[in-house]
Amino acid sequence: MFSSTPENGLGDAPLVIGVDEAGRGPLAGPVVAAAVVLCKPCPGGLDDSKKLSAAKRSKLEPQIQRRCAWGLAMVEPEEIDRLNIFGATMLAMTLATQRCVEALGEEPREVLIDGNMTPHGRREEWRWPARAIVGGDGKEACISAASILAKEYRDRIMVEAAKAHPHYGWESNKGYGSKAHMEALRVHGPTPLHRRSFAPVSQCELFV
């Protein structure tokens, strides 16, 4: 399931969607984006997902999914290599927002996006008023909720992928370039889940 409407409805407030991504920096795995509209009752304790413990995130995720309208999207490594990671992130954010709007059945007043750029003018499918907020995942609760959904979903993908590719430590590093991950790349080479457009992976391929 990649989108859902809340169990208790939306209320009468103007619709504002918060959007964030997870997985822009790793050497392997997809980039994942989430889009969330907060509904009442709003889950308590929302914050930037990187500042929350794994236990806190895992507790908040089902509350967000149950109480909020949301959409999720991911872009796989092959598409990341084709578009570059910035383009892939803009695509993931656009798809997540589309799915959230479809779940809502109505258009938002505004879309708040973590960072300093939005898909507006960068993806032809983007059609909503958008505002970028640097550090938005710690400032706007709807973006915080999106950051939690995106990170939790992506982390599960990488933990599952680690079972098929056990040498790289993805169950702990989630695809980032840790020392163990870099050593495994040197010894075993890249997998189909590695981003070959990323320098550490492309350089490694020259020596495998």
Side-chain angles (χ1 to χ4, degrees):
M1 182 171 62
F2 288 92
S3 64
S4 181
T5 50
E7 58 183 16
N8 294 326
L10 291 168
D12 299 322
L15 296 180
V16 176
I17 296 177
V19 178
D20 200 5
E21 54 75 27
R24 188 178 291 204
L27 306 180
V31 62
V32 175
V36 175
V37 173
L38 294 180
C39 306
K40 295 181 179 180
C42 176
L46 294 173
D47 200 351
D48 175 0
S49 63
K50 297 183 291 296
K51 297 178 182 178
L52 298 172
S53 68
K56 181 65 173 176
R57 289 195 305 269
S58 67
K59 183 178 180 181
L60 281 168
E61 182 190 28
Q63 295 181 32
I64 296 166
Q65 291 175 330
R66 188 173 65 250
R67 297 180 186 178
C68 303
W70 55 272
L72 269 173
M74 65 178 179
V75 176
E76 300 286 3
E78 182 178 350
E79 191 76 345
I80 292 171
D81 290 338
R82 186 181 72 83
L83 294 172
N84 71 46
I85 186 58
F86 176 77
T89 300
M90 294 295 105
L91 173 58
M93 288 180 167
T94 301
L95 293 173
T97 303
Q98 285 177 337
R99 289 169 180 166
C100 185
V101 171
E102 288 168 3
L104 289 166
E106 56 183 297
E107 298 292 312
R109 180 190 68 186
E110 186 176 33
V111 182
L112 306 179
I113 296 176
D114 182 57
N116 60 2
M117 293 187 182
T118 79
H120 180 72
R122 298 178 175 89
R123 293 295 311 181
E124 62 181 16
E125 313 96 317
W126 188 271
R127 64 180 190 271
W128 308 280
R131 178 159 55 100
I133 302 176
V134 176
D137 47 4
K139 298 175 182 177
E140 294 286 345
C142 57
I143 301 179
S144 301
S147 76
I148 291 166
L149 291 192
K151 179 169 176 53
E152 285 295 287
Y153 187 80
R154 188 182 186 280
D155 282 359
R156 282 196 297 275
I157 290 173
M158 297 311 296
V159 169
E160 190 63 27
K163 297 175 183 177
H165 304 282
H167 304 296
Y168 303 88
W170 292 341
E171 68 281 358
S172 57
N173 64 49
K174 306 303 188 294
Y176 284 87
S178 67
K179 183 177 179 180
H181 189 176
M182 296 302 295
E183 178 63 15
L185 261 176
R186 186 185 68 80
V187 174
H188 301 284
T191 71
L193 287 175
H194 278 99
R195 303 171 180 179
R196 282 161 168 76
S197 57
F198 279 41
V201 180
S202 60
Q203 291 168 3
C204 172
E205 284 190 298
L206 297 175
F207 301 101
V208 175

